[in-house]
Amino acid sequence: MQDRRAHRAIFAQDVDAVIVPADAAGGLGTLFFGYETKALIIAVEDNKTKMKAEPENLQIDCVRVGSYLEAIGMLAAHRAGVNPVSLTAHVPSIAKLE
């Protein structure tokens, strides 16, 4: 007999992105997707928690965004095949010429 819930289940291979608070990346799910899969980890800085486990401190590659609204935009870009890093505003400073 087949489990009727199986058609509604989400499996790891079905997940290609995870959105988490920026300082709460220490949960089992985030650690699994950060270490064992190629899922995009989107860290939201606007949501502060008591966990204090940032992805970078755990050697998890992530894209940081300011809010959940930005996270949804980042997720939409990712699903459309746009490299999320190209959407960030992190531009290296220009050296002053003397």
Side-chain angles (χ1 to χ4, degrees):
M1 179 170 150
Q2 186 176 359
D3 187 356
R4 293 186 311 186
R5 294 174 293 166
H7 71 281
R8 295 181 296 190
I10 298 174
F11 298 97
Q13 65 265 21
D14 299 327
V15 176
D16 65 345
V18 178
I19 300 173
V20 297
D23 61 355
L28 186 58
T30 307
L31 292 173
F32 171 78
F33 285 108
Y35 293 143
E36 300 295 329
T37 72
K38 303 236 186 258
L40 173 66
I41 307 297
I42 302 172
V44 179
E45 294 179 358
D46 222 13
N47 188 357
K48 302 295 181 203
T49 70
K50 300 245 183 217
M51 187 179 275
K52 306 298 181 217
E54 298 192 2
E56 296 85 358
N57 295 340
L58 299 168
Q59 281 75 47
I60 295 175
D61 290 330
C62 73
V63 175
R64 284 185 172 262
V65 296
S67 67
Y68 281 99
L69 184 59
E70 288 180 43
I72 292 168
M74 188 65 68
L75 184 59
H78 175 66
R79 293 204 61 196
V82 176
N83 183 352
V85 177
S86 68
L87 301 174
T88 61
H90 300 289
V91 178
S93 60
I94 299 173
K96 184 177 180 181
L97 296 176
E98 300 201 31

